[in-house]
Amino acid sequence: MSLGKGATLSALKLVNTGLGFVLGLALAWVLPTDGFMDALNTAMFIAVNLARELPRVVGLVLIPFLVESAIAKRDRVPQLFMTWWLVLLAIATLLLFVVAPWIPRIATPKLPEAALVEGGHLLRLLAPSFFLLGLFGIGQNLFYSRRAFYEPELAATVWRVVAMGALFV
């Protein structure tokens, strides 16, 4: 990667980090400070951590595997790997959906009962995004394995801008 491409990618990462911070501040400014917000914070804390970690974990496994398969010219092996990864991702998403009502009770047991119920409900609503984040992680790492770094960063930037726009519309 050239110095210019590295600088551009670093700038995009910095913009994404800054937009994530601004999005967090915007959420704190727009949303109320009550039991609902406690429930939302609990559900979002789990969802945001999954959103940050899932693409990274996928990349630790997927990028070296795809690069090695491309070098060895094994076309069928990555397809099998992707199939199994999608099946595991679907199972994990279903499991998250099923156990969602209990996660806030374990993570934040001192919240009022209404906030725990609402947090479980919100986490259940966010559970399908786990599958989508896994797909994003796969897509992001497919780009990375082909030395295309801008597209995933631009997608994350657009997502944050749209999310902030949705708060104020």
Side-chain angles (χ1 to χ4, degrees), residues 130-153:
F130 183 76
F131 186 80
L132 295 175
L133 290 168
L135 288 178
F136 177 75
I138 289 170
Q140 178 182 39
N141 290 294
L142 284 171
F143 277 110
Y144 288 166
S145 71
R146 288 174 173 77
R147 297 179 186 221
F149 301 103
Y150 298 126
E151 292 82 355
E153 291 305 317

Side-chain angles (χ1 to χ4, degrees), residues 17-103:
T17 302
L19 285 173
F21 178 72
V22 170
L23 181 58
L25 290 176
L27 280 169
W29 184 63
V30 170
L31 297 174
T33 55
D34 57 9
F36 172 77
M37 192 60 203
D38 291 338
L40 182 62
N41 278 335
T42 300
M44 287 301 294
F45 176 77
I46 294 163
V48 166
N49 281 325
L50 290 173
R52 287 182 183 152
E53 291 302 312
L54 193 58
R56 187 184 67 78
V57 171
V58 171
L60 290 174
V61 175
L62 190 59
I63 291 175
F65 183 80
L66 290 173
V67 170
E68 183 180 308
S69 293
I71 290 170
K73 298 186 187 221
R74 294 180 288 175
D75 294 333
R76 181 141 168 75
V77 175
Q79 292 171 351
L80 291 172
F81 183 82
M82 294 293 192
T83 301
W84 280 104
W85 180 255
L86 289 174
V87 168
L88 289 173
L89 193 57
I91 291 169
T93 301
L94 184 60
L95 182 64
L96 178 62
F97 183 81
V98 169
V99 301
W102 294 288
I103 292 175

